[in-house]
């Protein structure tokens, strides 16, 4: 793996925090975490990238449903995830597979989720991970509510949500972030600004100079960070988490990255954009960046790289076998795992489904 040496400046990155240059040169020595964290950040990104690449292959083989790939954006999720404590809540978007992996969701369960199997969305409640959100921005009011609940319970825990740049144009984004600000909830809102809301560029969906500037209207800090720099992402999230735990309220983080891959496995980005910009961002690959830095310090070798790759391939193979053994989907599963106590209408519908099944 070779890091890019020189890249043209990108105006989207103006004013963002970076710890490493795209070629892995150290820009902010004061913000480098300890060696153990450095290695966790790198291996977390590599594992996520291997899974993402494999998932796209599995989808083409008919072994997954529509899959929202994230390759090239993993630093945003991995850096933020590692900055949290055990017990903190995370609310991912549909593109949040790396976030879920970092927070303990098993690969088998992730595979089942992208097969549309109910078991993929019944996450272990101890993990404090909510299922992948398909509706846009619904997770933002939920994040505010969870954070406020933890504040009132005095647990010291926080809630962190991810959302794409397109999602910030939804009403639920405004409602949730404003609520969190008004009630000084311990929340972190991460905008993964990858430049595209499916086929709509950020410059078309908003006249705002940047999305972090919206934070002022909600009474909270707005931070802009290079989302392809995992060290910068780790640092700003850690600061936001510490601020939340001190009782100082929520933070809005705008992570500038780029969706170099299709929106999902069913998308063709060549229909609405030129790939020259995506090609430039491939030179800002987050894994290449950190690996170059680690190698410069003698902390990483090709042997270690191959160990991670082989280990991840074995994990994916085992996860596929486990997912293939999942129980068949029963029709009544459509009405389960929705409310803690089913509504009366749902009980009637469930009884009807079971009656129909009994006639088969």
């Amino acid at each position: 793996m070779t890091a890019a040496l020189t890249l043209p400046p990108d105006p989207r990155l103006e004013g963002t925090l970076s710890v490493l240059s795209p070629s892995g040169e150290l820009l902010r020595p004061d913000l480098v975490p300890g060696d153990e964290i450095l290695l966790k950040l790198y291996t977390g990104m590599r594992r996520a990238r291997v899974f993402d690449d494999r998932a796209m292959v599995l989808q083409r083989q008919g072994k997954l449903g529509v899959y929202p790939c994230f390759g090239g954006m993993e630093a945003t999720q991995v850096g933020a995830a590692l900055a949290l404590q055990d017990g903190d809540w995370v609310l991912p978007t549909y593109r949040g597979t790396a976030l879920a992996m970092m927070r303990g969701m098993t690969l088998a369960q992730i595979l089942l989720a992208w097969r549309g199997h109910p078991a993929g969305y019944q996450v272990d409640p101890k993990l404090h991970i909510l299922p992948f959100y398909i509706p846009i921005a619904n997770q933002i009011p939920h994040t505010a509510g969870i954070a406020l609940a933890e504040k009132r319970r005095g647990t010291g825990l926080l809630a962190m949500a991810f959302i794409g740049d397109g999602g910030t144009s939804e009403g639920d984004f405004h409602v949730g972030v404003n609520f969190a600000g008004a009630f000084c909830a311990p929340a972190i809102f991460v905008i993964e600004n990858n430049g595209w809301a499916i086929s709509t560029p950020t410059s078309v969906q908003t006249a705002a100079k940047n999305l972090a500037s919206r934070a002022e209207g909600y009474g909270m800090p707005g931070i802009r960070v290079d989302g392809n720099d995992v060290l910068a992402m780790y640092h700003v999230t850690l600061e936001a988490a510490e601020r939340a735990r001190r009782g100082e309220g929520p933070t809005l983080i705008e992570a500038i990255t780029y969706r170099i891959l299709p929106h999902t496995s069913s998308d063709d980005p060549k229909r609405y954009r030129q790939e020259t910009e995506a090609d430039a961002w491939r030179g800002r690959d987050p894994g290449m960046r950190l690996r170059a830095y680690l190698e410069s310090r003698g902390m990483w070798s090709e042997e270690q790289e191959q160990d991670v790759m082989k280990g991840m391939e074995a994990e994916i193979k085992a996860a596929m076998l486990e997912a293939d053994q999942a129980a068949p989907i029963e029709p009544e599963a459509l009405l389960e795992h929705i409310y803690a106590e089913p509504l009366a209408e749902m009980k009637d519908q469930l009884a009807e489904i079971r009656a129909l099944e009994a006639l088969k």
Side-chain angles (χ1 to χ4, degrees), residues 127-187:
L127 293 179
H128 286 188
I129 304 173
L130 272 68
F132 299 115
Y133 277 79
I134 306 301
I136 306 300
N138 284 13
Q139 70 271 30
I140 304 302
H142 296 168
T143 302
I146 291 171
L148 183 59
E150 295 294 4
K151 176 182 178 179
R152 291 185 172 180
R153 292 169 62 191
T155 62
L157 299 176
L158 59 84
M160 178 176 71
F162 273 69
I163 190 167
D165 46 297
T168 64
S169 294
E170 294 284 339
D172 274 352
F173 174 80
H174 166 74
V175 169
V177 179
N178 186 65
F179 185 97
F183 287 92
C184 200

Side-chain angles (χ1 to χ4, degrees), residues 260-306:
I260 60 175
L261 299 176
H263 175 69
T264 68
S265 52
S266 62
D267 176 44
D268 179 9
K270 293 185 178 66
R271 297 181 63 183
Y272 52 82
R273 73 183 189 191
Q274 298 294 322
E275 289 300 280
T276 52
E277 189 175 33
D279 290 339
W281 273 85
R282 286 185 174 90
R284 295 183 172 88
D285 183 274
M288 292 168 56
R289 182 181 304 203
L290 184 53
R291 181 174 176 178
Y293 174 68
L294 293 176
E295 288 177 340
S296 73
R297 292 183 52 185
M299 293 178 60
W300 198 254
S301 66
E302 182 59 28
E303 182 180 0
Q304 289 170 290
E305 184 78 11
Q306 292 306 312

